[in-house]
Amino acid sequence: MSIFIKVLGVIFLLAGLALSWSPIPVGILLIPLGAAMIVATSSHAKKWLHHLRVNNPKLDRWLCKMEGKVPERIARPLHETDANNDNR
């Protein structure tokens, strides 16, 4: 099941990147959804996303904003990788 969730997360992430340029940017919600699915199933992805958020404050602010707009089950893995959160 973990492999299925990772693959689905990658599909959502790629679809989100492709659709973020459309007139109705549905991709803005698909990107954190896909990232959360990947991060929830992979400790390496969690460490990588935390490192990315620490080094990119703009991305960190955007993902923090998205945490409030996605369901709790999706927001929890994103919150765990927060740049200000040392409880990785």
Side-chain angles (χ1 to χ4, degrees), residues 46 50 76-77 79-88:
K46 188 179 287 189
H50 177 75
R76 189 179 321 116
H79 179 69
E80 291 173 0
T81 62
D82 192 355
N84 299 322
N85 187 5
D86 290 329
N87 297 332
R88 296 180 285 141

Side-chain angles (χ1 to χ4, degrees), residues 26-82:
V26 177
I28 300 296
L29 293 176
L30 288 178
I31 293 171
L33 176 66
M37 291 174 82
I38 295 168
V39 167
T41 57
S42 172
S43 63
H44 293 296
K46 188 179 287 189
K47 290 177 186 175
W48 177 78
L49 185 59
H50 177 75
H51 178 72
L52 191 66
R53 288 179 76 165
V54 166
N55 293 328
N56 191 343
K58 191 173 183 178
L59 174 68
D60 185 51
R61 283 191 305 271
W62 182 73
L63 285 175
C64 283
K65 193 183 302 183
M66 285 294 118
E67 285 174 20
K69 297 182 183 198
V70 295
E72 174 63 29
R73 190 170 189 185
I74 296 165
R76 189 179 321 116
L78 291 177
H79 179 69
E80 291 173 0
T81 62
D82 192 355

Side-chain angles (χ1 to χ4, degrees), residues 5-46:
I5 292 173
K6 286 178 187 175
V7 169
L8 192 60
V10 169
I11 290 171
F12 281 166
L13 194 61
L14 293 175
L17 290 172
L19 292 173
S20 64
W21 300 105
S22 67
I24 302 172
V26 177
I28 300 296
L29 293 176
L30 288 178
I31 293 171
L33 176 66
M37 291 174 82
I38 295 168
V39 167
T41 57
S42 172
S43 63
H44 293 296
K46 188 179 287 189

